[in-house]
Amino acid sequence: MLEEIKKTAAWIKAQTHDFTPEVGIILGTGLGDFADRIETEYALDYKSIPGFPVSTVEGHKGRLIFGRVEGHRVVAMQGRFHYYEGYGMQQVTFPVRVMQQLGIRYLFVSNASGGINTSFRVGDLMVITDHINLMPNPLIGPNMAELGPRFPDMHNCYDRELIARATRIAEEEGIKLQYGVYVGGTGPTFETQAEYRYFKAIGGDAAGMSTVPEVIVARHMSIPVFGVSVITNCGLSDEVGDHEDVQRQGKKAGVRMQRLFERMIKEL
């Protein structure tokens, strides 16, 4: 696997003339418009990249964007991969491994999620302070010691300094933030009411079907992570959720997330 990661990274470097990104960004459902804010220098379709999976989910365009945000070099995934698509965890997290080989020093992740905390409202931005993993761990199997330790520590999984910076920027920009624990499940079914009550009982504030594997792999490689969930539905209500509504709500709230990400990247 390590050799495949290195081969893919080498191919991308050749296509982008050794463009070295400082920040990796993963854009979740309905949040792909942030790519339009990037001063794009290169754009690669996933299907053209050796070893890359292909996103099969509506709302995920499937491109790797290289460019600048507020003067900083970034690489953004316009669409991610999910366990529920039938990919193994090594495939789901493969792009994060590749981005590390390309040179990223920070990882920003975003997702659309269902609110568990009853104080949350549709459209809220929740800064992820921690997570609960209910998926297979992506580090199961032989450890790639060149990338990280066999038993990586998950304290400060979501970087406290980056969270503090986000809080200050949000106050300056008038952006309301919530804070909470993200519960990562396999999907693809939306959660039952009983599952939401269980997630609440074990300490969850929002639930989704992504992000956690990518964050685990990033922390395995000692990359600081900042994460935001857009609350696109309230799981404990009687409203029936669907993917189209998740995309709509994500797109609306994405404007505020974009401004937050831009300011944070500017100050790195």
Side-chain angles (χ1 to χ4, degrees):
M1 175 60 76
L2 183 57
E3 286 307 309
E4 189 174 352
I5 292 165
K6 289 182 175 182
K7 281 174 58 178
T8 299
W11 184 90
I12 291 172
K13 287 178 181 180
Q15 303 303 308
T16 61
H17 301 89
D18 282 326
F19 185 98
T20 304
E22 304 166 69
V23 184
I25 306 169
I26 301 177
L27 300 169
T29 301
L31 301 169
D33 285 354
F34 182 80
D36 297 332
R37 313 279 289 194
I38 298 171
E39 298 172 27
T40 302
E41 297 186 25
Y42 305 95
L44 304 176
D45 289 336
Y46 291 164
K47 61 186 177 184
S48 73
I49 302 173
F52 247 60
V54 176
S55 181
T56 65
V57 183
E58 189 177 343
H60 291 248
K61 290 188 178 180
R63 294 193 306 165
L64 204 57
I65 309 293
F66 295 82
R68 294 177 188 269
V69 172
E70 298 288 353
H72 288 267
R73 296 183 304 277
V74 305
V75 54
M77 290 181 65
Q78 199 174 20
R80 56 153 51 92
F81 311 111
H82 305 81
Y83 184 65
Y84 65 71
E85 294 176 80
Y87 293 123
M89 281 301 180
Q90 299 256 340
Q91 292 172 292
V92 168
T93 57
F94 185 80
V96 179
R97 298 289 197 192
V98 170
M99 287 194 285
Q100 184 265 352
Q101 293 288 306
L102 294 175
I104 67 166
R105 296 186 291 113
Y106 299 92
L107 180 66
F108 284 30
V109 296
S110 65
N111 60 56
S113 64
I116 299 168
N117 189 314
T118 53
S119 70
F120 291 177
R121 297 292 177 266
V122 170
D124 280 353
L125 299 183
M126 185 191 85
V127 172
I128 306 174
T129 58
D130 209 340
H131 69 233
I132 296 170
N133 183 29
L134 299 180
M135 303 187 224
N137 193 300
L139 302 183
I140 291 171
N143 183 52
M144 289 181 278
E146 184 177 325
L147 300 180
R150 170 75 281 188
F151 302 106
D153 181 42
M154 288 290 135
H155 281 78
N156 197 27
C157 201
Y158 299 85
D159 191 82
R160 294 188 186 97
E161 290 185 13
L162 293 177
I163 291 172
R165 184 176 301 170
T167 299
R168 175 179 54 77
I169 290 171
E171 289 174 355
E172 293 171 0
E173 295 285 339
I175 299 171
K176 177 186 175 184
L177 294 180
Q178 304 281 14
Y179 301 83
V181 176
Y182 178 84
V183 181
T186 64
T189 53
F190 287 111
E191 296 78 8
T192 67
Q193 293 282 285
E195 286 168 338
Y196 270 116
R197 290 193 297 271
Y198 168 64
F199 295 165
K200 183 179 180 182
I202 63 174
D205 294 289
M209 308 169 192
S210 66
T211 303
V212 174
E214 298 150 338
V215 172
I216 290 173
V217 163
R219 293 305 302 140
H220 178 243
M221 300 183 293
S222 300
I223 298 171
V225 175
F226 177 71
V228 173
S229 292
V230 175
I231 306 301
T232 53
N233 62 289
C234 292
L236 289 169
S237 73
D238 291 328
E239 296 177 11
V240 178
D242 62 53
H243 186 65
E244 288 72 22
D245 193 48
V246 167
Q247 291 183 81
R248 283 192 298 271
Q249 296 298 338
K251 197 176 182 71
K252 285 167 59 179
V255 176
R256 284 173 283 124
M257 188 206 74
Q258 289 169 17
R259 184 58 187 149
L260 182 65
F261 275 21
E262 284 174 339
R263 279 286 310 272
M264 291 191 68
I265 292 170
K266 181 179 181 179
E267 295 186 16
L268 287 176

